[in-house]
Structures are given as structure tokens and as C-alpha cells.
Amino acid sequence: MQLYTHELKEYFQGKRKKFTFPIAPQGTSFQIKVWQALRHIPFNQHQTNLQIAQQLGLPHAASAVGMARNVNPIPIVIPCHRIASNVSSRYHFGDDVIQQLHALETGQLALISTHKK
């Protein structure tokens, strides 16, 4: 549990860009493949549903990628917010969570102060 806490704290301080702890989200095999692909999108970078579908070898599955992204159970660790979309989406955790994750990655928001008293 310490590893999870440590890495999440670093992320919220703006010090961590990638998580190394193991996760085991529950979903279909397709959803899990999409979520794994999302974890490979670099910090503060964006891809599209189509790019992810192409990476999976399923270029006609962009909509299905979007659906898998929208039911992502761990949006901080599986960065669905790194998918650029020109379509209004209904995220499982709400659009406000996605906007805050964008703000964290662009340095517009820090949830934990790094200053010591």
C-alpha cells in the first residue's frame, strides 16, 4: 500500500509522470487492451481513439475504444484524459475529473503542496 500512496502523492505534487505499481482493473479483454494502451500515452501528450484502435490492429474500432475509455475504472492511473476528443463524452467519473487531470498535467493545478513548513 505504501508504494501506491507514495506514487499518488508524487503525482498530485506534480513530481510523477508515470505510475509503476501493479493494477488489475476488471473489464472485457478488449477494454483491458485499451486501458493498457492508454497507460503508454506519455504524460501531457494526447492521442485519438483512432490512433489507439490502430495500435491495437483494429482501425475500425475507434468508437469501441471511446466506449472502453469512458468506463475506465482508474482514471488517474489509466489516463483516459490523454485522449483528444472533439466529441462530447460521458466519462464514468464525470467531465470535471477529466478537466482536473488535464490541469494537473499542464501544471495549472497542484493538489498537494510541495512546500515544507
Coordinates of all heavy atoms in Angstrom, one line a residue, residues 26-89:
Q26 N -10.9 -4.6 -13.7 CA -11.8 -5.6 -14.2 C -12.6 -5.1 -15.5 O -13.1 -4.0 -15.4 CB -12.8 -6.0 -13.2 CG -12.2 -6.6 -11.9 CD -11.4 -7.9 -12.1 OE1 -12.0 -8.8 -12.7 NE2 -10.2 -7.9 -11.8
G27 N -12.6 -5.8 -16.5 CA -13.3 -5.5 -17.8 C -13.2 -6.6 -18.8 O -12.6 -7.6 -18.5
T28 N -13.7 -6.3 -20.0 CA -13.6 -7.3 -21.0 C -12.2 -7.3 -21.5 O -11.4 -6.4 -21.2 CB -14.5 -6.9 -22.2 OG1 -14.0 -5.7 -22.8 CG2 -16.0 -6.7 -21.8
S29 N -11.8 -8.3 -22.3 CA -10.4 -8.4 -22.8 C -10.1 -7.2 -23.7 O -9.0 -6.6 -23.7 CB -10.2 -9.7 -23.6 OG -11.1 -9.8 -24.7
F30 N -11.1 -6.7 -24.5 CA -10.9 -5.5 -25.3 C -10.7 -4.3 -24.4 O -9.8 -3.5 -24.7 CB -12.1 -5.3 -26.2 CG -12.0 -4.1 -27.1 CD1 -11.1 -4.1 -28.2 CD2 -12.6 -2.9 -26.8 CE1 -11.0 -2.9 -29.0 CE2 -12.5 -1.8 -27.5 CZ -11.7 -1.8 -28.6
Q31 N -11.5 -4.1 -23.4 CA -11.3 -2.9 -22.5 C -9.9 -2.9 -21.9 O -9.3 -1.9 -21.8 CB -12.4 -2.9 -21.4 CG -13.8 -2.6 -21.9 CD -14.9 -2.8 -20.9 OE1 -14.7 -3.7 -20.0 NE2 -16.0 -2.1 -21.0
I32 N -9.5 -4.1 -21.4 CA -8.2 -4.2 -20.8 C -7.1 -3.9 -21.8 O -6.1 -3.1 -21.4 CB -8.0 -5.6 -20.2 CG1 -9.0 -5.7 -18.9 CG2 -6.6 -5.8 -19.7 CD1 -9.1 -7.1 -18.4
K33 N -7.2 -4.3 -23.0 CA -6.2 -3.9 -24.1 C -6.2 -2.4 -24.3 O -5.1 -1.8 -24.4 CB -6.5 -4.6 -25.4 CG -6.2 -6.1 -25.3 CD -6.6 -6.8 -26.6 CE -6.4 -8.3 -26.5 NZ -6.9 -9.0 -27.7
V34 N -7.4 -1.8 -24.3 CA -7.5 -0.3 -24.5 C -6.8 0.4 -23.3 O -6.0 1.3 -23.5 CB -8.9 0.1 -24.7 CG1 -9.0 1.7 -24.6 CG2 -9.5 -0.4 -26.0
W35 N -7.1 -0.1 -22.1 CA -6.6 0.5 -20.9 C -5.1 0.4 -20.8 O -4.4 1.3 -20.4 CB -7.3 0.0 -19.7 CG -8.7 0.2 -19.6 CD1 -9.4 1.2 -20.2 CD2 -9.7 -0.5 -18.9 NE1 -10.8 1.1 -20.0 CE2 -11.0 0.1 -19.2 CE3 -9.7 -1.7 -18.1 CZ2 -12.2 -0.5 -18.6 CZ3 -10.8 -2.2 -17.6 CH2 -12.1 -1.6 -17.9
Q36 N -4.6 -0.7 -21.3 CA -3.1 -0.9 -21.3 C -2.5 0.0 -22.3 O -1.4 0.6 -22.1 CB -2.8 -2.4 -21.7 CG -3.1 -3.4 -20.6 CD -2.9 -4.8 -21.1 OE1 -3.0 -5.1 -22.3 NE2 -2.8 -5.7 -20.1
A37 N -3.1 0.2 -23.5 CA -2.6 1.2 -24.5 C -2.6 2.6 -23.9 O -1.7 3.4 -24.2 CB -3.5 1.1 -25.8
L38 N -3.7 3.0 -23.2 CA -3.8 4.3 -22.6 C -2.6 4.6 -21.7 O -2.1 5.7 -21.6 CB -5.1 4.5 -21.9 CG -6.4 4.5 -22.7 CD1 -7.6 4.6 -21.8 CD2 -6.3 5.5 -23.8
R39 N -2.2 3.6 -21.0 CA -1.1 3.7 -20.0 C 0.3 4.0 -20.7 O 1.2 4.5 -20.0 CB -0.9 2.5 -19.1 CG -2.1 2.3 -18.2 CD -1.8 1.2 -17.1 NE -1.0 1.8 -16.1 CZ -0.4 1.0 -15.2 NH1 -0.6 -0.2 -15.2 NH2 0.4 1.6 -14.3
H40 N 0.3 3.8 -22.0 CA 1.6 4.1 -22.7 C 1.6 5.5 -23.4 O 2.6 5.8 -24.0 CB 1.8 3.0 -23.8 CG 2.1 1.7 -23.2 ND1 3.3 1.4 -22.6 CD2 1.3 0.5 -23.1 CE1 3.3 0.1 -22.1 NE2 2.1 -0.4 -22.4
I41 N 0.5 6.2 -23.2 CA 0.5 7.6 -23.8 C 1.3 8.4 -22.8 O 1.0 8.5 -21.6 CB -0.9 8.2 -23.9 CG1 -1.8 7.3 -24.8 CG2 -0.9 9.6 -24.4 CD1 -3.3 7.7 -24.8
P42 N 2.3 9.1 -23.3 CA 3.2 9.9 -22.4 C 2.5 11.0 -21.7 O 1.5 11.5 -22.2 CB 4.3 10.5 -23.4 CG 4.2 9.6 -24.6 CD 2.8 9.1 -24.7
F43 N 3.0 11.4 -20.5 CA 2.5 12.4 -19.7 C 2.3 13.7 -20.5 O 3.1 14.1 -21.3 CB 3.5 12.7 -18.6 CG 3.0 13.7 -17.6 CD1 2.2 13.4 -16.5 CD2 3.5 15.0 -17.7 CE1 1.9 14.3 -15.6 CE2 3.1 16.0 -16.7 CZ 2.3 15.6 -15.7
N44 N 1.1 14.4 -20.4 CA 0.8 15.6 -21.0 C 0.8 15.5 -22.5 O 1.1 16.5 -23.2 CB 1.7 16.8 -20.5 CG 1.1 18.1 -20.7 OD1 -0.1 18.2 -20.9 ND2 1.9 19.1 -20.7
Q45 N 0.6 14.4 -23.1 CA 0.5 14.2 -24.5 C -0.9 13.6 -24.8 O -1.6 13.1 -23.9 CB 1.6 13.2 -25.0 CG 3.0 13.6 -24.6 CD 3.8 13.9 -25.8 OE1 3.5 13.6 -26.9 NE2 4.9 14.6 -25.6
H46 N -1.3 13.7 -26.1 CA -2.6 13.2 -26.4 C -2.6 12.4 -27.7 O -1.7 12.6 -28.5 CB -3.6 14.4 -26.7 CG -3.8 15.2 -25.4 ND1 -3.0 16.3 -25.2 CD2 -4.6 15.1 -24.4 CE1 -3.4 16.8 -24.0 NE2 -4.3 16.1 -23.5
Q47 N -3.5 11.4 -27.7 CA -3.7 10.6 -28.9 C -5.2 10.6 -29.1 O -6.0 11.1 -28.3 CB -3.2 9.2 -28.7 CG -1.7 9.1 -28.7 CD -1.2 7.7 -28.6 OE1 -1.9 6.7 -28.7 NE2 0.1 7.6 -28.5
T48 N -5.7 10.0 -30.2 CA -7.1 9.9 -30.5 C -7.6 8.5 -30.3 O -6.7 7.5 -30.3 CB -7.4 10.3 -32.0 OG1 -6.7 9.4 -32.8 CG2 -6.9 11.8 -32.2
N49 N -8.9 8.3 -30.3 CA -9.4 6.9 -30.3 C -9.0 6.2 -31.5 O -8.6 5.0 -31.4 CB -11.0 7.0 -30.3 CG -11.5 7.5 -29.0 OD1 -10.9 7.5 -27.9 ND2 -12.7 8.0 -29.0
L50 N -8.9 6.8 -32.6 CA -8.5 6.1 -33.9 C -7.0 5.7 -33.7 O -6.7 4.5 -34.1 CB -8.6 7.1 -35.1 CG -8.1 6.5 -36.4 CD1 -8.9 5.2 -36.7 CD2 -8.3 7.5 -37.5
Q51 N -6.1 6.5 -33.2 CA -4.7 6.1 -33.0 C -4.6 4.9 -32.1 O -3.9 3.9 -32.4 CB -3.9 7.2 -32.5 CG -3.7 8.3 -33.5 CD -3.0 9.5 -32.8 OE1 -3.4 10.0 -31.8 NE2 -1.9 10.0 -33.5
I52 N -5.4 4.8 -31.0 CA -5.4 3.7 -30.1 C -5.9 2.5 -30.9 O -5.3 1.4 -30.8 CB -6.2 4.0 -28.8 CG1 -5.6 5.1 -28.1 CG2 -6.3 2.7 -28.0 CD1 -4.2 4.9 -27.5
A53 N -7.0 2.6 -31.6 CA -7.6 1.5 -32.4 C -6.6 0.9 -33.4 O -6.4 -0.3 -33.5 CB -8.9 1.9 -33.1
Q54 N -5.8 1.8 -34.0 CA -4.8 1.4 -35.0 C -3.7 0.6 -34.3 O -3.2 -0.3 -34.8 CB -4.3 2.6 -35.8 CG -5.3 3.2 -36.7 CD -4.9 4.5 -37.3 OE1 -4.1 5.3 -36.7 NE2 -5.4 4.8 -38.5
Q55 N -3.3 1.1 -33.1 CA -2.2 0.5 -32.3 C -2.7 -1.0 -32.0 O -1.8 -1.9 -31.9 CB -1.9 1.2 -31.1 CG -1.2 2.5 -31.3 CD -1.1 3.3 -30.0 OE1 -1.2 2.8 -28.9 NE2 -0.9 4.6 -30.2
L56 N -3.9 -1.1 -31.7 CA -4.5 -2.5 -31.4 C -4.7 -3.3 -32.6 O -5.1 -4.5 -32.5 CB -5.8 -2.3 -30.6 CG -5.7 -1.6 -29.2 CD1 -7.1 -1.4 -28.6 CD2 -4.8 -2.3 -28.3
G57 N -4.5 -2.8 -33.8 CA -4.7 -3.5 -35.0 C -6.1 -3.6 -35.4 O -6.5 -4.5 -36.2
L58 N -6.9 -2.7 -34.9 CA -8.4 -2.6 -35.2 C -8.8 -1.2 -35.6 O -9.5 -0.5 -34.9 CB -9.2 -3.0 -33.9 CG -8.8 -4.4 -33.3 CD1 -9.4 -4.6 -31.9 CD2 -9.4 -5.5 -34.3
P59 N -8.4 -0.8 -36.8 CA -8.6 0.6 -37.2 C -10.1 1.0 -37.3 O -10.3 2.2 -37.3 CB -7.9 0.6 -38.6 CG -7.8 -0.8 -39.1 CD -7.7 -1.6 -37.8
H60 N -11.0 0.1 -37.3 CA -12.4 0.4 -37.4 C -13.1 0.4 -36.0 O -14.3 0.5 -36.0 CB -13.1 -0.5 -38.4 CG -12.6 -0.5 -39.8 ND1 -12.7 0.6 -40.6 CD2 -11.9 -1.4 -40.5 CE1 -12.1 0.4 -41.7 NE2 -11.6 -0.8 -41.7
A61 N -12.3 0.3 -35.0 CA -12.8 0.2 -33.6 C -12.6 1.5 -32.8 O -12.7 1.4 -31.6 CB -12.2 -1.0 -32.9
A62 N -12.5 2.6 -33.5 CA -12.3 3.9 -32.7 C -13.5 4.2 -31.8 O -13.2 4.6 -30.6 CB -12.1 5.0 -33.7
S63 N -14.7 3.9 -32.2 CA -15.8 4.1 -31.3 C -15.8 3.2 -30.1 O -16.1 3.6 -28.9 CB -17.2 4.0 -32.0 OG -17.3 5.0 -33.0
A64 N -15.4 2.0 -30.3 CA -15.3 1.0 -29.2 C -14.2 1.4 -28.2 O -14.3 1.2 -27.0 CB -15.1 -0.4 -29.8
V65 N -13.1 2.0 -28.8 CA -12.0 2.5 -27.9 C -12.6 3.6 -27.0 O -12.4 3.6 -25.8 CB -10.9 3.0 -28.7 CG1 -9.9 3.8 -27.9 CG2 -10.1 1.9 -29.4
G66 N -13.4 4.5 -27.6 CA -14.0 5.5 -26.8 C -14.9 5.0 -25.7 O -15.0 5.5 -24.6
M67 N -15.7 4.0 -26.0 CA -16.6 3.4 -25.0 C -15.8 2.7 -23.9 O -16.1 2.9 -22.7 CB -17.5 2.4 -25.7 CG -18.5 3.0 -26.6 SD -19.5 1.8 -27.5 CE -20.6 1.3 -26.1
A68 N -14.7 2.1 -24.2 CA -13.8 1.5 -23.2 C -13.2 2.5 -22.4 O -13.1 2.4 -21.1 CB -12.7 0.6 -23.9
R69 N -12.8 3.6 -23.0 CA -12.2 4.7 -22.3 C -13.2 5.3 -21.3 O -12.8 5.7 -20.2 CB -11.7 5.8 -23.3 CG -11.1 7.0 -22.6 CD -10.9 8.1 -23.6 NE -12.2 8.8 -23.7 CZ -12.7 9.3 -24.9 NH1 -12.0 9.3 -26.0 NH2 -13.8 9.9 -24.9
N70 N -14.4 5.4 -21.7 CA -15.4 6.1 -20.9 C -15.8 5.3 -19.6 O -16.4 5.8 -18.7 CB -16.6 6.4 -21.7 CG -16.4 7.5 -22.7 OD1 -15.4 8.2 -22.7 ND2 -17.3 7.7 -23.6
V71 N -15.5 4.0 -19.6 CA -15.8 3.2 -18.4 C -14.5 2.8 -17.7 O -14.5 1.9 -16.8 CB -16.6 1.9 -18.8 CG1 -18.0 2.3 -19.3 CG2 -15.9 1.0 -19.8
N72 N -13.4 3.5 -17.9 CA -12.2 3.3 -17.3 C -12.4 3.4 -15.7 O -12.8 4.4 -15.2 CB -11.2 4.4 -17.8 CG -9.9 4.5 -17.0 OD1 -9.6 3.6 -16.2 ND2 -9.2 5.5 -17.3
P73 N -12.0 2.3 -15.0 CA -12.3 2.3 -13.6 C -11.2 3.1 -12.7 O -11.4 3.4 -11.6 CB -12.2 0.9 -13.2 CG -11.3 0.3 -14.2 CD -11.5 1.1 -15.5
I74 N -10.1 3.5 -13.3 CA -9.0 4.1 -12.6 C -8.4 5.3 -13.4 O -7.3 5.2 -13.9 CB -7.9 3.1 -12.2 CG1 -8.4 1.8 -11.8 CG2 -7.0 3.7 -11.1 CD1 -7.3 0.7 -11.7
P75 N -9.2 6.4 -13.5 CA -8.8 7.5 -14.5 C -7.4 8.1 -14.2 O -6.8 8.7 -15.0 CB -9.9 8.4 -14.4 CG -10.6 8.2 -13.1 CD -10.4 6.7 -12.8
I76 N -7.0 8.1 -12.9 CA -5.7 8.7 -12.6 C -4.5 7.8 -13.2 O -3.6 8.3 -13.8 CB -5.5 9.0 -11.1 CG1 -6.5 10.0 -10.7 CG2 -4.1 9.4 -10.8 CD1 -6.6 10.2 -9.2
V77 N -4.7 6.5 -13.0 CA -3.6 5.6 -13.3 C -3.7 5.2 -14.8 O -2.7 5.0 -15.4 CB -3.7 4.4 -12.4 CG1 -2.6 3.4 -12.7 CG2 -3.5 4.8 -10.9
I78 N -4.9 5.0 -15.3 CA -5.2 4.7 -16.7 C -5.6 6.0 -17.3 O -6.8 6.4 -17.2 CB -6.2 3.6 -16.9 CG1 -5.8 2.3 -16.1 CG2 -6.5 3.4 -18.3 CD1 -6.9 1.3 -16.1
P79 N -4.7 6.8 -17.9 CA -5.0 8.2 -18.3 C -5.9 8.4 -19.5 O -5.5 8.8 -20.6 CB -3.6 8.7 -18.5 CG -2.8 7.6 -19.0 CD -3.4 6.4 -18.3
C80 N -7.2 8.1 -19.3 CA -8.2 8.3 -20.4 C -8.3 9.8 -20.8 O -8.7 10.1 -21.9 CB -9.5 7.8 -20.0 SG -10.2 8.5 -18.5
H81 N -7.8 10.7 -19.9 CA -7.8 12.1 -20.2 C -6.8 12.5 -21.2 O -6.8 13.6 -21.7 CB -7.6 12.9 -18.9 CG -6.3 12.6 -18.2 ND1 -6.2 11.5 -17.4 CD2 -5.1 13.2 -18.1 CE1 -5.0 11.4 -16.9 NE2 -4.3 12.5 -17.3
R82 N -5.9 11.6 -21.6 CA -4.9 11.8 -22.6 C -5.4 11.5 -24.0 O -4.7 11.6 -25.0 CB -3.6 11.0 -22.3 CG -3.0 11.5 -21.1 CD -1.7 10.8 -20.8 NE -1.2 11.2 -19.5 CZ -0.4 10.4 -18.7 NH1 0.1 9.3 -19.2 NH2 0.0 10.8 -17.5
I83 N -6.7 11.2 -24.1 CA -7.3 11.0 -25.5 C -8.0 12.3 -25.9 O -8.8 12.9 -25.2 CB -8.4 9.9 -25.4 CG1 -7.8 8.6 -25.1 CG2 -9.2 9.9 -26.7 CD1 -6.9 8.0 -26.3
A84 N -7.5 12.9 -27.0 CA -8.1 14.1 -27.5 C -9.4 13.7 -28.2 O -9.5 12.8 -28.9 CB -7.2 14.7 -28.6
S85 N -10.4 14.5 -27.9 CA -11.7 14.2 -28.5 C -12.4 15.5 -28.9 O -12.4 16.5 -28.1 CB -12.6 13.4 -27.4 OG -13.9 13.2 -28.0
N86 N -13.0 15.5 -30.0 CA -13.8 16.6 -30.5 C -15.3 16.3 -30.3 O -16.1 17.1 -30.7 CB -13.5 17.0 -31.9 CG -13.8 15.9 -32.9 OD1 -14.2 14.8 -32.5 ND2 -13.6 16.1 -34.2
V87 N -15.6 15.2 -29.6 CA -17.0 14.8 -29.4 C -17.2 14.9 -27.9 O -16.4 14.5 -27.1 CB -17.2 13.4 -29.9 CG1 -18.6 13.0 -29.7 CG2 -16.7 13.2 -31.3
S88 N -18.4 15.4 -27.5 CA -18.8 15.4 -26.1 C -18.8 14.0 -25.6 O -19.5 13.1 -26.2 CB -20.1 16.1 -25.9 OG -20.5 16.1 -24.6
S89 N -18.1 13.7 -24.5 CA -18.1 12.3 -24.0 C -18.7 12.3 -22.6 O -18.8 13.3 -21.9 CB -16.6 11.9 -23.8 OG -16.0 11.8 -25.1

